Amino acid sequence: MNYEPILVGVAAFAIIGVFHPIVIKAEYYFSVHIWWLFAVVGTGLLAASLFMQGVFSYIMALLGITCLWSIIELFHQKRRVEKGWYPKNPKFIKEKRS
């Protein structure tokens, strides 16, 4: 029996579940200015997956693609914050002076 597809599926489910709060926290603390870090890490993980074999290369590629997808989600999270669906970080709220 081949258990690798099931392992990759479980890993994908776990990675997506872990990255959801990472994107929310990253947008809260750093705004969308952190997008480049997700790009560098994602590209690095994809490159690393090219030099690995077996199930670990699949999981590294999943992590890389998830990091790159997180860039899009950062900007979507910014819009969700602007709509009031998530709290704004007080340090990013500009003060109104009279």
Side-chain angles (χ1 to χ4, degrees):
M1 291 183 110
N2 186 6
Y3 294 103
E4 286 183 359
I6 294 173
L7 183 60
V8 171
V10 169
F13 185 72
I15 289 167
I16 292 168
V18 167
F19 267 78
H20 180 71
I22 288 174
V23 167
I24 292 170
K25 295 293 184 185
E27 195 283 328
Y28 182 82
Y29 289 110
F30 304 107
S31 185
V32 293
H33 304 296
I34 196 89
W35 73 267
W36 63 268
L37 183 62
F38 284 100
V40 169
V41 172
T43 304
L45 287 168
L46 284 174
S49 75
L50 295 173
F51 299 100
M52 302 175 92
Q53 292 184 0
V55 72
F56 294 111
S57 67
Y58 306 143
I59 293 173
M60 292 291 275
L62 276 169
L63 279 167
I65 293 296
T66 305
C67 283
L68 295 177
W69 184 260
S70 294
I71 297 169
I72 296 167
E73 284 301 315
L74 273 174
F75 288 93
H76 288 187
Q77 180 65 19
K78 179 183 175 188
R79 280 189 236 130
R80 289 188 285 265
V81 169
E82 290 169 353
K83 290 179 180 180
W85 296 353
Y86 286 87
K88 289 183 182 180
N89 187 338
K91 105 177 174 186
F92 293 122
I93 298 174
K94 296 180 181 177
E95 293 180 23
K96 293 183 179 179
R97 298 184 185 207
S98 358

